[in-house]
Amino acid sequence: IIVVLLPAEGKFKYDYQKGKPWKHDNLVAPYSFSITKPKEEYDAEIQSVKNSEKLYYRLDSSIATAKTEAFKKAFEEKKLHEKNLHSCLSILQEVYKRGIIQLGDELENKPSDFIIEVVENNESRDVKFGDLFTAQAAYNYAQENLKNGNERERELLSELLADAIVHNVFYDRETTSKILEEELNAISPTRGLVDEGVRIISKGDIV
């Protein structure tokens, strides 16, 4: 018989011992009630949710638009060769599309395959942390793909791209905390329901 159905000794009008036969008449539920989970089980469920907590980030698409327009303006002011504009815009499009994450303590010691939730335009998607650019990685990518023009022009383009590459993926602490709280609140301290009139234990059964 499930001992958790019976109240703790000292709060129950029948005397009994765990592992011994039930010596009273059949015990029937006088009313419907839920079965409380053992504290260890409930605490383990709480800890499991905390351990698997998802981190939420927001991708600000307006940053890419603003920085791209600023790059175009600076490019025109420098009177650089038009043939380089397309390749530079392609670089900016790629790094901003993938995302340039602002690193924080919440990602400390996390592996590159750690999954985060990136929210863009109210839509969330799973992303491997390592698939996003850091600011330095995005700049390195730009340098590797900047192949046209003479040395002086490449230096100028490199400076313009450095100014155009900034973070556009930011940790959303509020949403992360809200989702975690909702998941924790969804964990019930009870399981199952014993309906009124259901026999809990029969005379002679082992408690």
Side-chain angles (χ1 to χ4, degrees), residues 156-177:
L156 290 172
L157 290 171
S158 179
E159 292 175 5
L160 294 181
L161 285 169
D163 289 338
I165 293 174
V166 297
H167 302 118
N168 71 328
V169 178
F170 306 94
Y171 180 46
D172 189 340
R173 189 179 304 276
E174 181 179 350
T175 297
T176 298
S177 297

PDB file of all heavy atoms in Angstrom, residues 156-177:
ATOM      1  N   LEU A 156      41.040  51.357 -45.361  1.00  0.00           N
ATOM      2  CA  LEU A 156      39.891  52.244 -45.155  1.00  0.00           C
ATOM      3  C   LEU A 156      38.601  51.445 -45.007  1.00  0.00           C
ATOM      4  O   LEU A 156      37.770  51.734 -44.132  1.00  0.00           O
ATOM      5  CB  LEU A 156      39.776  53.227 -46.329  1.00  0.00           C
ATOM      6  CG  LEU A 156      40.859  54.300 -46.414  1.00  0.00           C
ATOM      7  CD1 LEU A 156      40.735  55.088 -47.718  1.00  0.00           C
ATOM      8  CD2 LEU A 156      40.757  55.241 -45.215  1.00  0.00           C
ATOM      9  N   LEU A 157      38.431  50.431 -45.855  1.00  0.00           N
ATOM     10  CA  LEU A 157      37.243  49.587 -45.769  1.00  0.00           C
ATOM     11  C   LEU A 157      37.201  48.834 -44.443  1.00  0.00           C
ATOM     12  O   LEU A 157      36.137  48.677 -43.835  1.00  0.00           O
ATOM     13  CB  LEU A 157      37.215  48.596 -46.933  1.00  0.00           C
ATOM     14  CG  LEU A 157      36.960  49.181 -48.322  1.00  0.00           C
ATOM     15  CD1 LEU A 157      37.167  48.129 -49.404  1.00  0.00           C
ATOM     16  CD2 LEU A 157      35.559  49.779 -48.410  1.00  0.00           C
ATOM     17  N   SER A 158      38.371  48.393 -43.998  1.00  0.00           N
ATOM     18  CA  SER A 158      38.451  47.684 -42.723  1.00  0.00           C
ATOM     19  C   SER A 158      38.010  48.584 -41.579  1.00  0.00           C
ATOM     20  O   SER A 158      37.286  48.151 -40.674  1.00  0.00           O
ATOM     21  CB  SER A 158      39.887  47.203 -42.494  1.00  0.00           C
ATOM     22  OG  SER A 158      40.001  46.534 -41.265  1.00  0.00           O
ATOM     23  N   GLU A 159      38.416  49.843 -41.616  1.00  0.00           N
ATOM     24  CA  GLU A 159      38.017  50.799 -40.578  1.00  0.00           C
ATOM     25  C   GLU A 159      36.512  51.044 -40.609  1.00  0.00           C
ATOM     26  O   GLU A 159      35.861  51.115 -39.558  1.00  0.00           O
ATOM     27  CB  GLU A 159      38.767  52.119 -40.775  1.00  0.00           C
ATOM     28  CG  GLU A 159      40.263  52.023 -40.500  1.00  0.00           C
ATOM     29  CD  GLU A 159      40.993  53.310 -40.824  1.00  0.00           C
ATOM     30  OE1 GLU A 159      40.310  54.309 -41.184  1.00  0.00           O
ATOM     31  OE2 GLU A 159      42.239  53.337 -40.741  1.00  0.00           O
ATOM     32  N   LEU A 160      35.969  51.188 -41.807  1.00  0.00           N
ATOM     33  CA  LEU A 160      34.527  51.421 -41.938  1.00  0.00           C
ATOM     34  C   LEU A 160      33.730  50.217 -41.440  1.00  0.00           C
ATOM     35  O   LEU A 160      32.697  50.372 -40.775  1.00  0.00           O
ATOM     36  CB  LEU A 160      34.170  51.725 -43.402  1.00  0.00           C
ATOM     37  CG  LEU A 160      34.720  53.020 -43.993  1.00  0.00           C
ATOM     38  CD1 LEU A 160      34.252  53.191 -45.429  1.00  0.00           C
ATOM     39  CD2 LEU A 160      34.298  54.226 -43.151  1.00  0.00           C
ATOM     40  N   LEU A 161      34.208  49.017 -41.770  1.00  0.00           N
ATOM     41  CA  LEU A 161      33.512  47.809 -41.321  1.00  0.00           C
ATOM     42  C   LEU A 161      33.607  47.650 -39.806  1.00  0.00           C
ATOM     43  O   LEU A 161      32.647  47.225 -39.156  1.00  0.00           O
ATOM     44  CB  LEU A 161      34.099  46.577 -42.012  1.00  0.00           C
ATOM     45  CG  LEU A 161      33.706  46.392 -43.483  1.00  0.00           C
ATOM     46  CD1 LEU A 161      34.548  45.296 -44.126  1.00  0.00           C
ATOM     47  CD2 LEU A 161      32.225  46.090 -43.619  1.00  0.00           C
ATOM     48  N   ALA A 162      34.759  48.015 -39.252  1.00  0.00           N
ATOM     49  CA  ALA A 162      34.920  47.929 -37.797  1.00  0.00           C
ATOM     50  C   ALA A 162      33.900  48.825 -37.095  1.00  0.00           C
ATOM     51  O   ALA A 162      33.327  48.447 -36.060  1.00  0.00           O
ATOM     52  CB  ALA A 162      36.338  48.329 -37.398  1.00  0.00           C
ATOM     53  N   ASP A 163      33.660  50.001 -37.648  1.00  0.00           N
ATOM     54  CA  ASP A 163      32.665  50.912 -37.073  1.00  0.00           C
ATOM     55  C   ASP A 163      31.239  50.382 -37.266  1.00  0.00           C
ATOM     56  O   ASP A 163      30.351  50.685 -36.456  1.00  0.00           O
ATOM     57  CB  ASP A 163      32.773  52.298 -37.724  1.00  0.00           C
ATOM     58  CG  ASP A 163      34.038  53.029 -37.307  1.00  0.00           C
ATOM     59  OD1 ASP A 163      34.595  52.693 -36.242  1.00  0.00           O
ATOM     60  OD2 ASP A 163      34.468  53.939 -38.054  1.00  0.00           O
ATOM     61  N   ALA A 164      31.045  49.607 -38.340  1.00  0.00           N
ATOM     62  CA  ALA A 164      29.694  49.127 -38.676  1.00  0.00           C
ATOM     63  C   ALA A 164      29.313  47.851 -37.939  1.00  0.00           C
ATOM     64  O   ALA A 164      28.134  47.484 -37.907  1.00  0.00           O
ATOM     65  CB  ALA A 164      29.586  48.898 -40.186  1.00  0.00           C
ATOM     66  N   ILE A 165      30.311  47.166 -37.361  1.00  0.00           N
ATOM     67  CA  ILE A 165      30.041  45.879 -36.704  1.00  0.00           C
ATOM     68  C   ILE A 165      29.892  46.083 -35.198  1.00  0.00           C
ATOM     69  O   ILE A 165      30.859  46.399 -34.505  1.00  0.00           O
ATOM     70  CB  ILE A 165      31.168  44.873 -37.005  1.00  0.00           C
ATOM     71  CG1 ILE A 165      31.148  44.499 -38.497  1.00  0.00           C
ATOM     72  CG2 ILE A 165      31.021  43.624 -36.142  1.00  0.00           C
ATOM     73  CD1 ILE A 165      32.315  43.627 -38.929  1.00  0.00           C
ATOM     74  N   VAL A 166      28.684  45.909 -34.702  1.00  0.00           N
ATOM     75  CA  VAL A 166      28.389  46.038 -33.269  1.00  0.00           C
ATOM     76  C   VAL A 166      27.442  44.908 -32.864  1.00  0.00           C
ATOM     77  O   VAL A 166      26.889  44.204 -33.705  1.00  0.00           O
ATOM     78  CB  VAL A 166      27.739  47.400 -32.936  1.00  0.00           C
ATOM     79  CG1 VAL A 166      28.692  48.553 -33.249  1.00  0.00           C
ATOM     80  CG2 VAL A 166      26.414  47.561 -33.684  1.00  0.00           C
ATOM     81  N   HIS A 167      27.247  44.745 -31.569  1.00  0.00           N
ATOM     82  CA  HIS A 167      26.345  43.695 -31.078  1.00  0.00           C
ATOM     83  C   HIS A 167      24.903  43.962 -31.528  1.00  0.00           C
ATOM     84  O   HIS A 167      24.444  45.107 -31.522  1.00  0.00           O
ATOM     85  CB  HIS A 167      26.370  43.633 -29.553  1.00  0.00           C
ATOM     86  CG  HIS A 167      27.731  43.391 -28.980  1.00  0.00           C
ATOM     87  ND1 HIS A 167      28.366  44.283 -28.164  1.00  0.00           N
ATOM     88  CD2 HIS A 167      28.589  42.339 -29.137  1.00  0.00           C
ATOM     89  CE1 HIS A 167      29.552  43.811 -27.817  1.00  0.00           C
ATOM     90  NE2 HIS A 167      29.711  42.637 -28.394  1.00  0.00           N
ATOM     91  N   ASN A 168      24.215  42.895 -31.888  1.00  0.00           N
ATOM     92  CA  ASN A 168      22.780  43.017 -32.164  1.00  0.00           C
ATOM     93  C   ASN A 168      21.962  41.912 -31.488  1.00  0.00           C
ATOM     94  O   ASN A 168      20.750  41.809 -31.677  1.00  0.00           O
ATOM     95  CB  ASN A 168      22.502  43.011 -33.671  1.00  0.00           C
ATOM     96  CG  ASN A 168      22.725  41.661 -34.323  1.00  0.00           C
ATOM     97  OD1 ASN A 168      23.581  40.884 -33.904  1.00  0.00           O
ATOM     98  ND2 ASN A 168      21.964  41.374 -35.368  1.00  0.00           N
ATOM     99  N   VAL A 169      22.641  41.083 -30.674  1.00  0.00           N
ATOM    100  CA  VAL A 169      21.958  40.035 -29.910  1.00  0.00           C
ATOM    101  C   VAL A 169      22.279  40.256 -28.433  1.00  0.00           C
ATOM    102  O   VAL A 169      23.443  40.213 -28.026  1.00  0.00           O
ATOM    103  CB  VAL A 169      22.413  38.623 -30.345  1.00  0.00           C
ATOM    104  CG1 VAL A 169      21.715  37.551 -29.505  1.00  0.00           C
ATOM    105  CG2 VAL A 169      22.113  38.406 -31.829  1.00  0.00           C
ATOM    106  N   PHE A 170      21.224  40.484 -27.631  1.00  0.00           N
ATOM    107  CA  PHE A 170      21.404  40.871 -26.234  1.00  0.00           C
ATOM    108  C   PHE A 170      20.633  39.953 -25.290  1.00  0.00           C
ATOM    109  O   PHE A 170      19.520  39.518 -25.603  1.00  0.00           O
ATOM    110  CB  PHE A 170      20.923  42.319 -26.023  1.00  0.00           C
ATOM    111  CG  PHE A 170      21.551  43.309 -26.963  1.00  0.00           C
ATOM    112  CD1 PHE A 170      20.907  43.652 -28.151  1.00  0.00           C
ATOM    113  CD2 PHE A 170      22.772  43.871 -26.679  1.00  0.00           C
ATOM    114  CE1 PHE A 170      21.485  44.555 -29.031  1.00  0.00           C
ATOM    115  CE2 PHE A 170      23.363  44.783 -27.548  1.00  0.00           C
ATOM    116  CZ  PHE A 170      22.714  45.125 -28.725  1.00  0.00           C
ATOM    117  N   TYR A 171      21.238  39.671 -24.138  1.00  0.00           N
ATOM    118  CA  TYR A 171      20.600  38.821 -23.135  1.00  0.00           C
ATOM    119  C   TYR A 171      19.335  39.488 -22.612  1.00  0.00           C
ATOM    120  O   TYR A 171      19.340  40.658 -22.235  1.00  0.00           O
ATOM    121  CB  TYR A 171      21.569  38.573 -21.981  1.00  0.00           C
ATOM    122  CG  TYR A 171      21.027  37.696 -20.873  1.00  0.00           C
ATOM    123  CD1 TYR A 171      20.346  36.505 -21.149  1.00  0.00           C
ATOM    124  CD2 TYR A 171      21.209  38.047 -19.534  1.00  0.00           C
ATOM    125  CE1 TYR A 171      19.873  35.707 -20.144  1.00  0.00           C
ATOM    126  CE2 TYR A 171      20.739  37.245 -18.511  1.00  0.00           C
ATOM    127  CZ  TYR A 171      20.070  36.076 -18.821  1.00  0.00           C
ATOM    128  OH  TYR A 171      19.597  35.280 -17.809  1.00  0.00           O
ATOM    129  N   ASP A 172      18.236  38.727 -22.587  1.00  0.00           N
ATOM    130  CA  ASP A 172      16.954  39.224 -22.082  1.00  0.00           C
ATOM    131  C   ASP A 172      16.717  38.600 -20.711  1.00  0.00           C
ATOM    132  O   ASP A 172      16.087  37.554 -20.589  1.00  0.00           O
ATOM    133  CB  ASP A 172      15.836  38.852 -23.059  1.00  0.00           C
ATOM    134  CG  ASP A 172      14.508  39.512 -22.715  1.00  0.00           C
ATOM    135  OD1 ASP A 172      14.339  39.944 -21.555  1.00  0.00           O
ATOM    136  OD2 ASP A 172      13.638  39.603 -23.598  1.00  0.00           O
ATOM    137  N   ARG A 173      17.232  39.260 -19.694  1.00  0.00           N
ATOM    138  CA  ARG A 173      17.141  38.735 -18.333  1.00  0.00           C
ATOM    139  C   ARG A 173      15.683  38.641 -17.867  1.00  0.00           C
ATOM    140  O   ARG A 173      15.288  37.677 -17.193  1.00  0.00           O
ATOM    141  CB  ARG A 173      17.942  39.613 -17.374  1.00  0.00           C
ATOM    142  CG  ARG A 173      18.098  39.028 -15.970  1.00  0.00           C
ATOM    143  CD  ARG A 173      18.936  39.948 -15.095  1.00  0.00           C
ATOM    144  NE  ARG A 173      20.240  40.211 -15.682  1.00  0.00           N
ATOM    145  CZ  ARG A 173      21.272  39.404 -15.553  1.00  0.00           C
ATOM    146  NH1 ARG A 173      21.155  38.277 -14.845  1.00  0.00           N
ATOM    147  NH2 ARG A 173      22.439  39.707 -16.105  1.00  0.00           N
ATOM    148  N   GLU A 174      14.885  39.631 -18.238  1.00  0.00           N
ATOM    149  CA  GLU A 174      13.491  39.658 -17.783  1.00  0.00           C
ATOM    150  C   GLU A 174      12.703  38.463 -18.317  1.00  0.00           C
ATOM    151  O   GLU A 174      11.992  37.789 -17.564  1.00  0.00           O
ATOM    152  CB  GLU A 174      12.828  40.962 -18.231  1.00  0.00           C
ATOM    153  CG  GLU A 174      11.380  41.097 -17.775  1.00  0.00           C
ATOM    154  CD  GLU A 174      10.747  42.412 -18.201  1.00  0.00           C
ATOM    155  OE1 GLU A 174      11.475  43.299 -18.687  1.00  0.00           O
ATOM    156  OE2 GLU A 174       9.516  42.558 -18.046  1.00  0.00           O
ATOM    157  N   THR A 175      12.832  38.197 -19.620  1.00  0.00           N
ATOM    158  CA  THR A 175      12.114  37.062 -20.210  1.00  0.00           C
ATOM    159  C   THR A 175      12.640  35.740 -19.667  1.00  0.00           C
ATOM    160  O   THR A 175      11.860  34.823 -19.382  1.00  0.00           O
ATOM    161  CB  THR A 175      12.245  37.081 -21.747  1.00  0.00           C
ATOM    162  OG1 THR A 175      11.634  38.268 -22.252  1.00  0.00           O
ATOM    163  CG2 THR A 175      11.561  35.864 -22.371  1.00  0.00           C
ATOM    164  N   THR A 176      13.953  35.627 -19.508  1.00  0.00           N
ATOM    165  CA  THR A 176      14.547  34.405 -18.968  1.00  0.00           C
ATOM    166  C   THR A 176      13.994  34.106 -17.580  1.00  0.00           C
ATOM    167  O   THR A 176      13.588  32.977 -17.282  1.00  0.00           O
ATOM    168  CB  THR A 176      16.085  34.533 -18.894  1.00  0.00           C
ATOM    169  OG1 THR A 176      16.608  34.718 -20.218  1.00  0.00           O
ATOM    170  CG2 THR A 176      16.705  33.284 -18.283  1.00  0.00           C
ATOM    171  N   SER A 177      13.936  35.122 -16.723  1.00  0.00           N
ATOM    172  CA  SER A 177      13.427  34.944 -15.354  1.00  0.00           C
ATOM    173  C   SER A 177      11.934  34.623 -15.362  1.00  0.00           C
ATOM    174  O   SER A 177      11.465  33.779 -14.582  1.00  0.00           O
ATOM    175  CB  SER A 177      13.682  36.211 -14.531  1.00  0.00           C
ATOM    176  OG  SER A 177      15.059  36.467 -14.410  1.00  0.00           O
TER     177      SER A 177
END
